[in-house]
Amino acid sequence: PKRIISLAPSITETVFEVGAGQQLVAVTDFCQYPQQAQDLPSIGGYLDPSLSQIVAHQPDLVIMLDRQQTLHKQLQQLGIRTLLIDNARLDGIMAGILAVGAASGHQQQAQRIYDQLQRQITRVKQEVADHPRKDTLLAIAHYTNSEQLDLVYIAGQRDFYNDILQLAGGRNVYRDTRLKVPAVSMEGLLRMNPEVIIDIFPDASAHQADLQKVRQQWQQLAPITAVKQQQIHFIEADYATVPGPRIIQLLTDIARLLHPGIKLSADAS
């Protein structure tokens, strides 16, 4: 394909990573990495892409998430080739690298990236293998401008955050498997009583939260073990919220927070 459109930031990142960036003709409003992506035309947002704009760019391949089923059917009816990526779990993110490489004609580069990331995963697993697992809460979204925490959206048992946490030597304090993205109240947080709290934010330029104020919110949950032991950590990085190739950097970050002193390479690609 010579004219590829990406319909998600994680896909755009993957396309560039496998060496197919020159084939991209359009992306979404939220595709900010790498820098070259910001110079490409936009077809709208992830939730509201413009079908007319997609068609106007005359793509010979549209790469999209498998959750974008309505648009997928519309593109099929128009005879536009599509590739669906499932990045809900870590194995899907990894498989997506190979799939994008194969579809764009960059199989060898995709395989190299895949193998390198697998080696990094193996290194982390080996480093944390002899360390005790810690009950950890991964917070992925909550209102930050109030005096106290209300609802906190956390990693469930069925997402890539949970996969990364387990590989990093942690144990998800949320055990229920029914909800994919649980919303937990202050009372629920107290009942779960995590040993470690990791609050994940995008890059500082992409949010307006005052992390000092957020820390004060967490401090109000004084009975929680993580609060008493000063084990509240923030990860503020653009790669921490985009399930693409750089998500392995988040694995390294979490492993270091849970097990200070382990030796890991920061290289993720």
Side-chain angles (χ1 to χ4, degrees), residues 93 100 161 228 231:
I93 296 171
V100 170
Y161 283 120
K228 289 189 286 189
Q231 289 298 307

Side-chain angles (χ1 to χ4, degrees), residues 29-46:
D29 294 341
F30 301 99
C31 295
Q32 300 296 309
Y33 182 90
Q35 180 70 36
Q36 302 95 295
Q38 300 178 29
D39 298 327
L40 291 169
S42 173
I43 50 76
Y46 164 72

